[in-house]
Amino acid sequence: MRGHLPPFLSNATGFLPLLPLEVIARRLMSNAMAARPSFAARLGEYAGRTFAIDPVDCPFVFLIKPEGGRTDMKVVRRSVAQDHDARIAAPLVVLIGMVDGTYDGDALFFSRDLSIDGDTEAVLALRNAIENAELDPSTVLGLPKSLQGPVNRATRRLFVELRRLLDAPEENGPNSGANP
Amino acid sequence: MTTPLELVCPAGTPAGLRTAVDAGAHSVYCGYRDETNARNFPGLNFDRAEMKEAAAYTHEHGAKILIALNTFMRAGCTDLWKRGVDDAVAAGADALILADVGLVDYARKTYPKQRLHLSVQAAAATPEAIAFYRDRFGIARVVLPRVLTVEEIARLTAQAAPCETEVFVFGGLCVMAEGRCMLSSYATGKSPNMTGVCSPPSHVSYREESDALVACVGGFTVERFERGEAAGYPTLCKGRFEADGAVSHLFEDPVSLNAVELLPRLAEIGVTAFKIEGRQRGRAYISTVVRAFRKAIDTMAVGGKVDYDELRSLTEGQRDTVGAYKKAWR
Ligand code: SF4
């Protein structure tokens, strides 16, 4: 798959301790949920499903259950990530690009840069809810308004560069570097 | 060019709507989050409050909002559709896109001044059918099925006047006369006509099989994508099936509609509006496609030269077709 982290970095992420990673991921997730209270409503009945978000170039998987206001999130090793209703798998930078609107999920699926299995309806609901959430880096980081512009711009530049270095799929979304 | 051209763009979510408007859509089409609209996919569409906000945003930016209630009413449950019409009018819809003749009648009688468009789902493809809707209900525009040639569209457009015509120019392709295809009903019990979903995701499953991706709908294997081969949503009419010992696409190859090279001709014959398909697509797709088509339409309006290569590249490496417009299907 295009956009994979290089093997040395991929292997290095294997040494990351899961608990602190989970604490950080939960924090980011709850920032996003607090900023987008309608997210769970848009998911409707699928909010009760467990989604495995699988960055295929890392050895861990995020298990997310976005029910109501109290989203449940676990970070587990891929070998034990069995208990889920649906799985969305792609390289890490591609998954991040889907969250921030850089990529179109359908296009990634057509080009086989992203794969899904399990409950297709739940995957679509999640994809559409994420699309509508218009999440940007400063929202996920929970930053005050004054910092949002510069942080979003800097992060986008960083990701444009990173995706180029990793030969990730071409960007063309409203949040890519390509459009004014 | 004889008529001002309107670019009609898809909006599956409030964020998608803002993206389309910001990218230059003259109008956006969208629907409520229930079976009244033919894109009833999970996580898509608008609730009542979102629709009002969407109408306000669209109008503030000088665009129009067209609200689709384009499935067919279910006997014993027509209130859902009528309530949809009431709420869409109250939200400030510039036009309602309707398919069911009973709902058209309700909308016309209840809201005599409301502009009404006839959905592609109504499959009005003859001068007689269009004249009936125009004369009886004051339909202001008809969205033509994607099974007509350009010359057929030219004749229909001339005969439909003063009713305007709208044609699809880009996106996924429904290869039969919309509103009349029963394939999805046979395979899953759900269809775009009654429940707003063709080959519904609730009945879609994927599995990896010795390096290939196998896609099923309603338990039927519809497609097998080998490693490195572009995948697609397993829409029933676009699957590969085995018949008489040979495996092939029976109905149509899974190509996207891309009628860019026909834009000048379609404008010349008096088509009013160009429609982009894809309410299920993300903001990345919407912004790129809408921007490119708006640029092309603006260029045509001043007699400039359209960059067709830019528009052709939008099909994301997938094969595309001008569809029936040139009778190029097999
Ligand atoms: S099966 Fe194909 S032709 Fe029939 S409604 Fe679905 S997309 Fe259209």
Side-chain angles (χ1 to χ4, degrees):
Chain A
M1 273 183 190
R2 300 179 289 172
H4 276 247
L5 292 174
F8 78 92
L9 214 55
S10 239
N11 294 336
T13 60
F15 293 106
L16 289 175
L18 294 188
L19 191 62
L21 192 62
E22 185 172 300
V23 171
I24 295 168
R26 271 175 192 261
R27 181 79 229 156
L28 300 180
M29 185 88 187
S30 71
N31 289 341
M33 290 291 160
R36 302 289 184 268
S38 64
F39 183 83
R42 184 158 283 278
L43 271 175
E45 60 185 287
Y46 308 99
R49 306 285 204 280
T50 300
F51 297 90
I53 308 299
D54 185 350
V56 290
D57 46 352
C58 301
F60 47 80
V61 173
F62 301 90
L63 293 178
I64 300 172
K65 192 174 181 181
E67 212 162 22
R70 40 165 203 87
T71 297
D72 200 15
M73 142 111 57
K74 285 196 193 86
V75 184
V76 299
R77 298 274 168 218
R78 180 166 296 105
S79 53
V80 297
Q82 310 294 346
D83 211 7
H84 52 78
D85 299 296
R87 187 177 75 105
I88 303 173
L92 185 64
V93 291
V94 172
L95 288 172
I96 293 172
M98 257 188 84
V99 172
D100 74 9
T102 299
Y103 291 125
D104 174 63
D106 280 18
L108 291 174
F109 178 72
F110 296 160
S111 60
R112 311 283 288 266
D113 289 300
L114 174 136
S115 65
I116 62 171
D117 55 59
D119 185 337
T120 313
E121 218 173 15
V123 171
L124 271 187
L126 179 67
R127 195 283 302 262
N128 292 331
I130 289 174
E131 270 291 333
N132 189 55
E134 294 183 287
L135 291 169
D136 52 29
S138 63
T139 307
V140 176
L141 293 168
L143 297 178
K145 251 197 158 52
S146 56
L147 291 174
Q148 287 178 359
V151 168
N152 287 345
R153 277 193 295 278
T155 318
R156 267 177 208 141
R157 268 201 300 276
L158 186 75
F159 273 106
V160 167
E161 201 48 41
L162 193 59
R163 289 188 185 109
R164 196 184 57 77
L165 281 172
L166 300 178
D167 190 27
E170 204 179 310
E171 310 173 5
N172 52 13
N175 289 339
S176 74
N179 285 321
Chain B
M1 192 182 312
T2 52
T3 45
L5 292 170
E6 180 178 323
L7 184 62
V8 183
C9 303
T13 59
L17 180 136
R18 290 190 294 273
T19 302
V21 170
D22 295 350
H26 293 119
S27 44
V28 282
Y29 63 100
C30 48
Y32 287 118
R33 225 149 120 194
D34 54 36
E35 59 203 282
T36 61
N37 94 76
R39 276 279 173 225
N40 183 21
F41 281 94
L44 274 193
N45 301 317
F46 295 65
D47 65 23
R48 265 47 185 178
E50 287 169 343
M51 192 63 91
K52 279 193 178 150
E53 285 166 20
Y57 186 87
T58 309
H59 293 150
E60 271 163 31
H61 290 77
K64 291 186 183 136
I65 184 165
L66 318 178
I67 301 183
L69 295 128
N70 57 346
T71 49
F72 293 88
M73 295 197 283
R74 209 162 0 97
C77 189
T78 56
D79 278 356
L80 179 69
W81 280 261
K82 290 176 181 166
R83 216 170 42 242
V85 166
D86 298 339
D87 292 343
V89 173
D94 293 286
L96 309 183
I97 308 174
L98 308 176
D100 186 304
V101 71
L103 194 62
V104 171
D105 182 59
Y106 170 79
R108 177 48 68 232
K109 283 188 177 137
T110 319
Y111 305 101
K113 292 206 165 76
Q114 176 66 47
R115 185 177 163 93
L116 303 179
H117 291 182
L118 193 65
S119 167
V120 67
Q121 284 281 105
T126 59
E128 290 81 359
I130 297 171
F132 171 74
Y133 283 103
R134 179 197 63 205
D135 300 341
R136 182 80 177 76
F137 302 110
I139 288 283
R141 179 184 298 172
V142 56
V143 187
L144 295 177
R146 285 166 269 199
V147 294
L148 303 167
T149 63
V150 172
E151 294 323 310
E152 285 166 336
I153 293 172
R155 283 196 294 278
L156 271 180
T157 300
Q159 288 167 317
C163 177
E164 301 165 352
T165 55
E166 176 174 311
V167 299
F168 283 91
V169 291
F170 194 81
L173 195 53
C174 187
V175 296
M176 322 258 181
E178 284 99 332
R180 294 186 187 163
C181 177
M182 302 292 164
L183 267 179
S184 186
S185 294
Y186 283 127
T188 70
K190 290 185 169 187
S191 72
N193 314 332
M194 303 303 287
T195 36
V197 272
C198 175
S199 315
S202 53
H203 291 67
V204 166
S205 60
Y206 297 100
R207 66 173 192 277
E208 298 281 345
E209 207 175 74
S210 56
D211 253 14
L213 178 68
V214 177
C216 303
V217 183
F220 301 101
T221 300
V222 167
E223 191 51 283
R224 184 187 164 92
F225 305 104
E226 299 301 333
R227 192 183 178 82
E229 194 183 2
Y233 188 82
T235 308
L236 282 156
C237 63
K238 292 166 188 122
R240 259 183 290 201
F241 303 95
E242 190 179 329
D244 295 335
V247 176
S248 71
H249 295 108
L250 290 191
F251 300 101
E252 183 53 59
D253 290 2
V255 287
S256 288
L257 174 69
N258 191 350
V260 288
E261 61 195 68
L262 300 176
L263 293 183
R265 176 73 185 130
L266 290 168
E268 193 179 82
I269 62 178
V271 169
T272 302
F274 294 156
K275 187 168 210 153
I276 293 170
E277 184 275 347
R279 280 195 272 165
Q280 74 286 12
R281 302 300 300 264
R283 290 177 293 130
Y285 174 89
I286 300 291
S287 78
T288 310
V289 174
V290 173
R291 224 179 276 280
F293 269 87
R294 176 61 193 265
K295 193 168 131 196
I297 286 178
D298 289 350
T299 306
M300 278 164 54
V302 295
K305 201 171 163 313
V306 175
D307 182 355
Y308 292 114
D309 287 341
E310 184 186 347
L311 292 164
R312 273 190 208 107
S313 70
L314 296 174
T315 33
E316 307 155 316
Q318 301 227 305
R319 286 184 302 142
D320 61 18
T321 177
V322 287
Y325 294 149
K326 278 188 171 172
K327 274 287 180 262
W329 297 354
R330 52 167 133 181

